[in-house]
Amino acid sequence: MATKHEQIIQYIETLPVGEKLSVRTIAKNLNMSEGTAYRAIKDAENIGLVSTIERVGTIRIERKSKENIETLTFGQICKIIDGDILGGKKGLDKTLSKFIIGAMQREAMERYISPGSLMIVGNRNDIQEFALEKGAAVLITGGFDTDESIVHLADQVEMPILRTTYDTFTVATMINRAMTDQLIKKEIMLVEDIYTPIDETKFLSLDDTVFQYRNLNTESTHSRFPIVNHNMRLVGIITAKDILGKADTLSLERVMTRDPIVAKTHMSVASVAHRMIWDGLEVMPVVKDNLQLLGIISRQDVMKAMQLAQRQPQVGNTIEDQVVENLSLTNAEEGDSLPAYRFRITPQMTNSLGTVSFGVLSEVLASTTKKILYTLQKRNAVIEQMDIYQLKMIQIDSVIEIRSKILELGRRSSKLDVEVYLENSLVSKAIVICQLMEKS
């Protein structure tokens, strides 16, 4: 039987797109507490079933697949620009295909307007009307109002007309940045992309015995299995080590490892890899929030995915990408066994004092460390701990040199001493501890 939380999620899924809902109405309709309804609605928002829009409320939206994550809805655009909704509220869940700036004559811009686009324009009522007639949404900049007839038209064609106090350039920059962020998110691999689903997963029941474990071990050649109760909820995990020397008739409940470390579908593969390496795990059960078993993810799956991700072109440019692009190999000092790197501090990388931002310096040292370890061992690294000491200020437009020494290098971890020089003067120092990923 489904839990109250699951019943609310299922109920929300039956609502038509565009339907408005609230904690109070959900609680009343399903005869549940408002606290339970609130938590379920928040979960529904996280998985993309509903969206909460200022001055409108919580509405049922069309759930987007990961393949369409690069698109933004007009409701999301409204949030990004701190906008007002003047009309066409039924179109807020529709997705933006492109945006056009209405700075041309009407005849000239006709070729650029298409259904699903967004016309960014000031107080030009004729262009607002023209865009709506062509199936485009309208965003009015500068805080201007519009005619009632245009608001009525927006309601009629079910395309939103939004208003913001920002100017056209600022708005276009904000939307462009949001679209880039969505593209970056699309490239992040999640557990849901690679885990083995329940219908392909071997698992055992709480009532099974050591004998049944041994049979499944022989049949599948695997040695680790999740254990579930009669509701298919995860209660433990069993490995070959747990049953060593145990009688065949012994119940798995008595020998299993309880409260195993689990993964959720929304977690990034990188975070799961980090946990697997740190705790020496070969397999992690993948579960829902109520611990219902969804499948498993293995270390082999994770390593293959991480290696694949390294070879994929990045669509959006992250801060790490920008740092790595600006790192250049330089000649190491005599006696240095590791490569040295040079990096220029640009104006965007400084704080209000005109010196390098601490966050940027951290990323430079982290990226350099990962590059060195990959060069040295052809293995990817995850930064576990980094202690940074800034000895002198690093000014804007400075060209720094990063030199490193290996303090410890093991099979799974390493420790490096990293030094930053400016004109041969030591300006910063760090001790960096990393976990090393296994070779695929």
Side-chain angles (χ1 to χ4, degrees):
M1 184 179 175
T3 64
K4 291 181 178 181
H5 187 93
E6 291 168 334
Q7 288 175 41
I8 295 173
I9 296 293
Q10 290 166 8
Y11 171 74
I12 291 171
E13 286 178 328
T14 65
L15 296 175
V17 172
E19 179 85 5
K20 193 172 178 181
L21 58 140
S22 69
V23 170
R24 186 170 294 176
T25 54
I26 292 283
K28 185 178 178 183
N29 290 346
L30 298 182
N31 195 26
M32 295 179 188
S33 72
E34 290 190 4
T36 302
Y38 174 80
R39 287 189 293 273
I41 288 173
K42 281 296 175 189
D43 189 34
E45 189 168 6
N46 291 335
I47 62 178
L49 286 175
V50 302
S51 179
T52 303
I53 301 167
E54 193 176 355
R55 300 184 184 89
V56 175
T58 303
I59 58 171
R60 172 76 165 91
I61 61 172
E62 185 180 354
R63 190 172 183 174
K64 302 294 184 296
S65 66
K66 191 170 189 290
E67 287 73 23
N68 292 327
I69 196 173
E70 71 271 21
T71 60
L72 290 165
T73 66
F74 293 113
Q76 289 170 316
I77 293 292
C78 189
K79 282 185 177 180
I80 291 162
I81 58 162
D82 297 324
D84 300 320
I85 303 158
L86 302 180
K89 292 178 181 177
K90 288 186 178 178
L92 288 171
D93 63 307
K94 294 178 180 177
T95 55
L96 168 73
S97 60
K98 64 178 181 179
F99 63 86
I100 313 116
I101 296 174
M104 298 174 278
Q105 293 296 325
R106 173 172 169 154
E107 296 74 20
M109 68 177 73
E110 183 172 2
R111 58 185 289 196
Y112 299 104
I113 302 175
S114 59
S117 57
L118 176 68
M119 171 61 71
I120 302 175
V121 67
N123 56 343
R124 297 178 65 185
N125 289 12
D126 59 327
I127 299 301
Q128 297 166 16
E129 184 177 19
F130 182 58
L132 288 168
E133 288 171 349
K134 291 287 183 180
V138 173
L139 171 56
I140 304 171
T141 58
F144 294 110
D145 213 333
T146 191
D147 292 344
E148 281 297 323
S149 60
I150 294 175
V151 173
H152 180 70
L153 177 60
D155 292 334
Q156 220 173 27
V157 300
E158 296 185 356
M159 289 301 287
I161 182 163
L162 311 173
R163 177 178 59 188
T164 180
T165 54
Y166 292 116
D167 61 85
T168 301
F169 175 79
T170 303
V171 162
T173 303
M174 292 166 79
I175 295 173
N176 194 55
R177 173 61 185 271
M179 294 174 81
T180 302
D181 287 349
Q182 293 291 74
L183 287 169
I184 291 170
K185 287 179 186 177
K186 185 177 183 242
E187 295 305 303
I188 296 173
M189 199 170 291
L190 304 178
V191 169
E192 67 181 2
D193 299 319
I194 66 166
Y195 81 99
T196 303
I198 188 70
D199 54 352
E200 298 174 30
T201 298
K202 303 290 186 184
F203 57 89
L204 290 160
S205 169
L206 202 58
D207 302 323
D208 288 335
T209 63
V210 169
F211 177 75
Q212 286 162 307
Y213 166 85
R214 290 191 169 119
N215 281 346
L216 189 58
N217 172 227
T218 304
E219 176 194 322
S220 66
T221 70
H222 296 150
S223 61
R224 296 168 175 82
F225 305 102
I227 297 180
V228 297
N229 63 16
H230 62 281
N231 288 324
M232 284 301 293
R233 290 203 176 111
L234 182 76
V235 291
I237 196 163
I238 188 84
T239 69
K241 184 176 68 174
D242 297 322
I243 59 98
L244 199 63
K246 301 294 191 298
D248 281 354
T249 54
L250 202 60
S251 166
L252 294 183
E253 185 177 7
R254 297 181 61 183
V255 295
M256 69 181 183
T257 300
R258 298 177 183 274
D259 302 319
I261 297 167
V262 299
K264 304 285 183 69
T265 54
H266 65 268
M267 289 180 175
S268 71
V269 171
S271 68
V272 170
H274 187 277
R275 192 64 190 264
M276 280 183 153
I277 295 168
W278 185 249
D279 292 309
L281 305 173
E282 295 295 329
V283 167
M284 283 175 71
V286 180
V287 298
K288 291 184 178 180
D289 287 339
N290 64 357
L291 291 182
Q292 184 179 339
L293 186 66
L294 293 175
I296 59 166
I297 187 168
S298 70
R299 187 188 286 213
Q300 189 177 13
D301 295 333
V302 166
M303 296 308 162
K304 283 181 180 176
M306 294 294 286
Q307 293 296 330
L308 178 64
Q310 291 293 322
R311 296 192 289 268
Q312 294 298 317
Q314 189 77 354
V315 177
N317 215 15
T318 65
I319 292 171
E320 183 179 7
D321 295 329
Q322 294 172 41
V323 168
V324 170
E325 285 171 7
N326 286 290
L327 277 173
S328 59
L329 203 59
T330 186
N331 295 326
E333 290 292 303
E334 189 176 343
D336 287 350
S337 58
L338 299 178
Y341 288 88
R342 184 180 284 119
F343 187 85
R344 178 179 290 277
I345 308 301
T346 64
Q348 294 91 344
M349 298 176 183
T350 56
N351 56 27
S352 58
L353 301 175
T355 61
V356 66
S357 160
F358 185 78
V360 170
L361 181 60
S362 301
E363 188 56 60
V364 170
L365 297 180
S367 296
T368 304
T369 302
K370 287 188 276 189
K371 282 177 77 73
I372 287 169
L373 288 171
Y374 189 80
T375 302
L376 197 66
Q377 291 207 325
K378 295 292 183 266
R379 294 167 74 184
N380 295 313
V382 177
I383 304 296
E384 179 64 30
Q385 183 179 333
M386 183 160 57
D387 296 321
I388 302 176
Y389 304 92
Q390 285 188 274
L391 308 177
K392 295 180 182 178
M393 292 292 188
I394 303 172
Q395 302 293 332
I396 189 171
D397 288 330
S398 297
V399 177
I400 57 176
E401 189 172 305
I402 304 104
R403 305 173 195 164
S404 308
K405 293 176 185 173
I406 297 283
L407 299 178
E408 292 176 16
L409 185 61
R411 189 169 66 88
R412 287 191 175 179
S413 65
S414 67
K415 184 187 289 185
L416 280 79
D417 178 8
V418 185
E419 295 180 334
V420 180
Y421 288 86
L422 178 61
E423 298 175 352
N424 290 322
S425 175
L426 183 65
V427 292
S428 184
K429 188 177 178 67
I431 301 296
V432 186
I433 301 172
C434 306
Q435 293 181 32
L436 298 175
M437 311 259 317
E438 291 181 0
K439 294 181 183 178
S440 61

